[in-house]
Amino acid sequence: MPTSHPSVREPRLLLAVDAPSLLHRNHHARVATALRDRGGRPAWALHGMVRQILEVIDQFAPDAVVFGFDDRTASVRTETYPAYKAGRREKDPALVDQLQRSAALLDALGLHTVTPAGLEADDVSATAATWAEAAGWDCVIVTSDRDSFAHISARTRVLRLIDGGVNASPLLNPARLRTLYGIAAEHYLEYAALRGDTSDNLPGVPGIGEKTAPVLLGQMGSMRSVWADIDHCAGANLVAALDSYCDEEGLRRIGPGLLKRLTAPGARERFEFNLEIMAGRTDLDLGLTPDVPGSPGLLPLDPDRVAQVVGYLGVPATTDLALRVLTEPPASYDDGPRTAPEAVVVQER
């Protein structure tokens, strides 16, 4: 007789993990442990990433997990902008070793990894959010970077892992993003393009930073409206809106000065360039086949594989946790409702 399967309730949940950001963070946080796997190779960053993801899976009970990786052999962004990410320190060889081994470890576990040609983990996260929206799933992006804030929506939240681990990290939805930055989620990418990103060596529009950009976007709605007003009205509506806001808030008027910065030579070109470089690709083939039982990335996983692969890291407590959270059906298969953990509201740094 055919085996009966429990019914699946909607919405199902996709966990999209920015693997390199977690590996980098755990390398620096755990290097003093000098943990080695059973083969004697460095494993502290690998173990830290695996441990954190297990804790996240334990909290959210996703139906599928996809890990995004950077293509370390080519970069379309560097081809466009050779100074992209210039100035970063050279990676510790022990970190490089663990970065190179991480995808194979996750694949062996039965999870799903995607390394898009010439692209980055953030492109995988952007596509995962788009895929979830189209499929009627929810999505949680797990990262230690701010880049994925641009993908926050009614269906997609971002768990930003910071100091204090999973339980002390903020889970950001549109409302909480507005509380932190004063902007609508759909305008975060424009905000970032105005502000720039020093970690990627992308200067912002001169004179427009983290305090001014939210006011500009809040009063004008979008940069498309800003540029249209400059083109057709010489910025008259922009100046009026900003000065009216300042009058209401009891602030010094900023309209004329901000208009001057926006119309300075190269300002619009800088914004448009940043927008192009920062925008994540949303059209990648993730290779997710959630209706095919046993497909990579679908939970639950095979207990023998979990015990062997996680056990190789040499931390029995982590192996026990993996067996508990990876080999049980996800929350959408049980009789109770899915309850996502409350976000921890913290001040971003």
Side-chain angles (χ1 to χ4, degrees), residues 10-18 56-57 59-64 66 122 124-130 132-133 136-161 169-178 180 185 331 337-344 348:
E10 302 294 346
R12 297 165 80 183
L13 178 65
L14 174 64
L15 203 66
V17 183
D18 179 355
V56 172
I57 291 173
Q59 286 195 17
F60 288 88
D63 297 90
V66 59
D122 190 53
V124 178
S125 297
T127 297
T130 302
E133 181 78 29
W137 287 42
D138 287 339
C139 180
V140 171
I141 297 172
V142 184
T143 181
S144 63
D145 296 332
R146 294 186 294 179
D147 297 340
S148 289
F149 291 0
H151 316 316
I152 292 173
S153 69
R155 281 199 175 272
T156 297
R157 294 163 293 168
V158 171
L159 179 66
R160 188 187 184 202
L161 295 182
S169 296
L171 176 64
L172 301 178
N173 59 14
R176 292 186 173 101
L177 184 71
R178 183 182 285 275
L180 285 173
R338 183 194 302 279
T339 56
E342 288 297 317
V344 177
E348 286 291 311

Side-chain angles (χ1 to χ4, degrees), residues 204-206 227 261-273:
V205 176
W227 302 128
R261 297 184 190 114
L262 289 166
T263 54
R268 188 185 302 200
E269 289 77 12
R270 167 53 56 186
F271 170 80
E272 297 291 350
F273 182 79

Side-chain angles (χ1 to χ4, degrees), residues 20 23-24 41-42 45-46 69-70 72-73 91-107 115:
L23 285 161
H24 278 81
R41 300 180 71 176
L46 287 169
F69 282 86
D70 301 340
R72 295 174 53 80
T73 64
K91 292 183 177 65
D92 184 332
L95 171 59
V96 173
D97 176 71
Q98 293 174 84
L99 282 166
Q100 292 173 340
R101 294 155 49 207
S102 54
L105 181 149
L106 294 167
D107 287 334
T115 305

Side-chain angles (χ1 to χ4, degrees), residues 47 51 54 310-311 314-324:
H47 172 256
R51 181 79 193 194
L54 291 175
V310 180
V315 184
T318 299
T319 304
D320 292 342
L321 177 62
L323 285 168
R324 179 170 66 81

Side-chain angles (χ1 to χ4, degrees), residues 272-330:
E272 297 291 350
F273 182 79
N274 284 353
L275 204 64
E276 178 185 357
I277 295 292
M278 292 177 171
R281 286 278 297 275
T282 61
D283 59 350
L284 304 180
D285 180 4
L286 297 181
L288 291 172
T289 52
D291 296 324
V292 180
S295 294
L298 294 186
L299 299 179
L301 302 181
D302 178 68
D304 291 337
R305 293 177 70 174
V306 171
Q308 181 178 4
V309 175
V310 180
Y312 193 75
L313 295 175
V315 184
T318 299
T319 304
D320 292 342
L321 177 62
L323 285 168
R324 179 170 66 81
V325 305
L326 295 179
T327 64
E328 294 295 327

Side-chain angles (χ1 to χ4, degrees), residues 231-260:
D231 289 341
H232 299 292
C233 306
N237 295 319
L238 182 151
V239 172
L242 292 174
D243 283 352
S244 176
Y245 166 83
C246 290
D247 286 343
E248 292 174 3
E249 297 295 321
L251 303 173
R252 179 177 57 84
R253 292 188 176 186
I254 62 173
L258 195 51
L259 176 62
K260 184 176 181 180

